[in-house]
Amino acid sequence: MLQIYNSLTRKKEPLMPLTPGKLRMYVCGMTVYDYCHVGHARVMVVFDMVACYLRARGFDVTYIRNITDIDDKIIKRAAENGEDINALTARFIAAMDEDAARLGVQKPDAEPRATAHMPQILKMIGILIDRGFAYQAKNRDVYYRVRKFNGYGALSGKSGDDLRGGAGVADRIEARAVGQGRPASGFEVDEDKDDPLDFVLWKAAKPGEPAWDSPWGSGRPGWHIECSAMSTSCLGNHFDIHGGGMDLKFPHHENEIAQSEGATGERFVNTWMHVGFVQLDQEKMSKSLGNFFTVREVLKQYDPEEVRYFILSSHYRSPLNYSQGHLLNARAALT
């Protein structure tokens, strides 16, 4: 029987489909404000291989990979470029599709976009408020009440002070990313929140930013609620596999579980799969650190099959060290 390491239980478990012979899988996709780097490519290639392999084993797989097309980073980049947000996201979605196709990555069965799921997002937030899991603060933002959800921290293994510190780190990283200049020491204490751990579900409109109407005023969704709404609307309240990069385990996937299970009262996902980082000089490759190579840059020197082989030559949960030497080894091995 096929076994998969489940990040939630931290052990290998038999893959037991909720519906015999069928598997439903959701993977967190790209935030489309720039070109895909090798870390993004690893997630796309790995889950392409997972879907292909499961189908080869005889499963009827429904594979969903979302597109985040509204986000702080997107808004910031569009403002820097003096570019319409829809034009920016359309340009980088097209670039992402080109890169994925060159790497032999098949299109998922569906690629839901956050901006196309506002009704589902608003409905889920409304349910969370009705059930006491969320509240609107004085600043008109809507927050998730973390301590209301008893299972919070199960995926990441964090609790108590770890969670409090993690929430602060996440706030500081996001603040730096969007250039808000918040303090770099300690974690942000937002007086409008009931608790520092609480995270935003709906952001009140700011001048010049895109906004949608809602029962809580004009605004836009937080990042985490987008994936909860898209995954459950495409695959149902309870599905088989949820995947993404290791960096999404906390807080993004932890928050998805809290939102989804708080809203539906059902278990959200059976098996969690997380892909390890691509590293450059022993550091995670990322745009925020500025130490990344885009897929396009790499494909100027190496054949797409060589890059795909390089990505798949190490275990998907292990770090993948990017270097010219390793790519040359992949070329020799593939040959």
Side-chain angles (χ1 to χ4, degrees):
M1 181 178 288
L2 179 63
Q3 296 190 66
I4 296 179
Y5 181 87
N6 187 350
S7 299
L8 182 63
T9 60
R10 297 168 187 79
K11 62 183 180 181
K12 286 185 179 180
E13 297 175 339
L15 184 62
M16 304 290 290
L18 288 166
T19 303
K22 298 180 182 292
L23 287 169
R24 290 169 289 158
M25 180 170 72
Y26 180 90
V27 173
C28 288
M30 306 304 119
T31 300
V32 283
Y33 69 100
D34 206 341
Y35 293 110
C36 296
H37 60 60
V38 179
H40 299 139
R42 189 182 194 192
V43 172
M44 289 195 291
V45 168
V46 164
F47 284 106
D48 177 62
M49 179 59 77
V50 170
C52 288
Y53 180 73
L54 292 174
R55 286 169 178 148
R57 288 286 296 255
F59 293 103
D60 178 6
V61 179
T62 301
Y63 173 28
I64 309 295
R65 190 184 70 220
N66 81 291
I67 295 172
T68 299
D69 60 350
I70 185 64
D71 174 84
D72 289 336
K73 294 175 183 178
I74 292 172
I75 294 170
K76 182 174 182 286
R77 181 61 56 85
E80 291 171 348
N81 293 354
E83 185 176 6
D84 177 76
I85 285 176
N86 292 329
L88 176 84
T89 57
R91 182 159 58 88
F92 285 118
I93 288 170
M96 176 190 70
D97 288 342
E98 291 171 7
D99 292 343
R102 291 190 67 189
L103 291 171
V105 173
Q106 298 180 41
K107 295 282 283 183
D109 295 296
E111 292 180 283
R113 301 186 187 188
T115 55
H117 283 74
M118 287 299 165
Q120 293 89 341
I121 290 169
L122 295 174
K123 180 180 179 182
M124 182 169 279
I125 294 173
I127 292 171
L128 289 170
I129 290 174
D130 291 343
R131 294 187 173 180
F133 285 100
Y135 60 93
Q136 186 169 27
K138 294 177 183 177
N139 62 2
R140 297 188 299 119
D141 288 352
V142 178
Y143 293 99
Y144 186 93
R145 188 173 279 115
V146 167
R147 295 191 192 277
K148 170 80 172 177
F149 185 72
N150 292 329
Y152 196 83
L155 179 65
S156 60
K158 297 178 183 292
S159 61
D161 292 338
D162 287 339
L163 285 173
R164 184 178 291 272
V169 169
D171 277 351
R172 294 200 304 278
I173 290 172
E174 183 179 3
R176 286 198 298 271
V178 299
Q180 292 174 347
R182 293 174 185 167
S185 61
F187 60 85
E188 180 195 21
V189 178
D190 188 335
E191 294 180 356
D192 292 303
K193 292 184 183 182
D194 287 355
D195 189 293
L197 290 181
D198 297 348
F199 59 87
V200 69
L201 300 174
W202 187 258
K203 299 183 178 185
K206 295 182 178 65
E209 290 188 354
W212 288 261
D213 291 333
S214 84
W216 316 285
S218 180
R220 59 187 173 89
W223 173 35
H224 311 302
I225 194 68
E226 294 174 353
C227 277
S228 285
M230 286 186 282
S231 62
T232 55
S233 67
C234 291
L235 297 175
N237 294 343
H238 183 193
F239 54 91
D240 299 283
I241 300 171
H242 194 315
M246 194 74 72
D247 55 329
L248 299 183
K249 185 185 291 187
F250 182 83
H252 185 54
H253 289 162
E254 195 79 73
N255 291 350
E256 275 193 68
I257 293 172
Q259 293 164 157
S260 303
E261 296 189 0
T264 69
E266 300 179 38
R267 183 175 181 178
F268 180 37
V269 173
N270 278 6
T271 302
W272 287 86
M273 298 180 69
H274 289 98
V275 176
F277 297 127
V278 175
Q279 295 182 334
L280 182 65
D281 296 329
Q282 307 307 312
E283 277 196 316
K284 172 197 166 188
M285 185 180 289
S286 72
K287 289 191 172 76
S288 61
L289 294 174
N291 64 340
F292 66 93
F293 290 95
T294 67
V295 173
R296 300 185 162 214
E297 290 172 329
V298 177
L299 292 181
K300 289 178 181 177
Q301 296 179 293
Y302 297 93
D303 185 86
E305 277 196 323
E306 294 166 352
V307 177
R308 187 179 175 96
Y309 188 94
F310 161 68
I311 289 171
L312 293 172
S313 62
S314 65
H315 193 283
Y316 75 92
R317 287 191 288 115
S318 301
L320 178 63
N321 292 310
Y322 178 90
S323 72
Q324 300 294 329
H326 288 151
L327 279 162
L328 290 171
N329 289 340
R331 173 178 287 173
L334 182 61
T335 300

